[in-house]
Amino acid sequence: MAFSYSEKVMDHFANPRNVGEIADADGVGEVGNSKCGDIMKMYLKIEGNTIVDVKFKTFGCGAAIATSSMATELIKGKTIDDALKLTNKAVMEALDGLPPVKVHCSVLAEQAIKSALSDYYTRQGIDPTPIVGDIGDHCDHCDHCG
Ligand code: FES
């Protein structure tokens, strides 16, 4: 299938921001897409209520790399509350859109952040479910994962 990516997607795919690991991360999340097998890992450094650093590793398609890169840019320096509100739609808009067949890749980025925040709360002895909600392994945008 032929489709084209925005310049911003190509830029974040070719020059992804915040790639790597944080050795003493306060929260680590890993999510995978059962359909394509792609995996995204997110590391958060949190001080007080602020995400002071974030890094990611994505073993996946170009759209997954671009969306995780943009997602890290959007939550770095922000509060936990802001990060929890970040939706895959906002990440896509920041990238000037994604082809419809690639929307599910952006869902992975949203889930990776929520998964890392769940880990953060769990480490604090706090039940993350009421705060972070159900991360889920599916999205509302397609019926790929069922
Ligand atoms: Fe797997 Fe994009 S095709 S995340």
Side-chain angles (χ1 to χ4, degrees):
M1 187 188 303
F3 48 78
S4 60
Y5 289 113
S6 72
E7 276 178 31
K8 279 194 189 165
V9 172
M10 292 310 293
D11 177 34
H12 277 264
F13 167 58
N15 307 292
R17 299 7 169 219
N18 306 310
V19 173
E21 297 178 25
I22 298 175
D24 59 345
D26 298 305
V28 180
E30 182 172 328
V31 290
N33 183 307
S34 54
K35 164 102 178 156
C36 62
D38 291 351
I39 295 169
M40 198 178 284
K41 204 162 178 181
M42 193 76 67
Y43 302 79
L44 300 177
K45 190 80 197 146
I46 296 172
E47 280 173 18
N49 196 33
T50 304
I51 296 168
V52 292
D53 200 10
V54 49
K55 295 250 187 290
F56 80 91
K57 277 188 161 175
T58 292
F59 304 92
C61 71
I65 291 168
T67 49
S68 34
S69 169
M70 179 56 91
T72 59
E73 288 279 273
L74 291 172
I75 64 166
K76 199 170 182 176
K78 300 280 170 56
T79 64
I80 293 175
D81 285 351
D82 285 337
L84 284 169
K85 281 186 213 132
L86 185 73
T87 61
N88 74 299
K89 195 163 171 277
V91 176
M92 283 197 299
E93 279 168 8
L95 286 167
D96 292 339
L98 278 175
V101 295
K102 288 287 169 186
V103 170
H104 72 276
C105 316
S106 67
V107 174
L108 219 49
E110 180 187 323
Q111 289 174 335
I113 291 170
K114 289 189 171 153
S115 170
L117 287 170
S118 286
D119 181 50
Y120 167 73
Y121 282 118
T122 302
R123 290 184 197 202
Q124 313 286 314
I126 300 167
D127 178 7
T129 316
I131 306 165
V132 181
D134 181 18
I135 297 169
D137 56 1
H138 61 278
C139 60
D140 300 330
H141 308 281
C142 67
D143 55 5
H144 283 166
C145 330

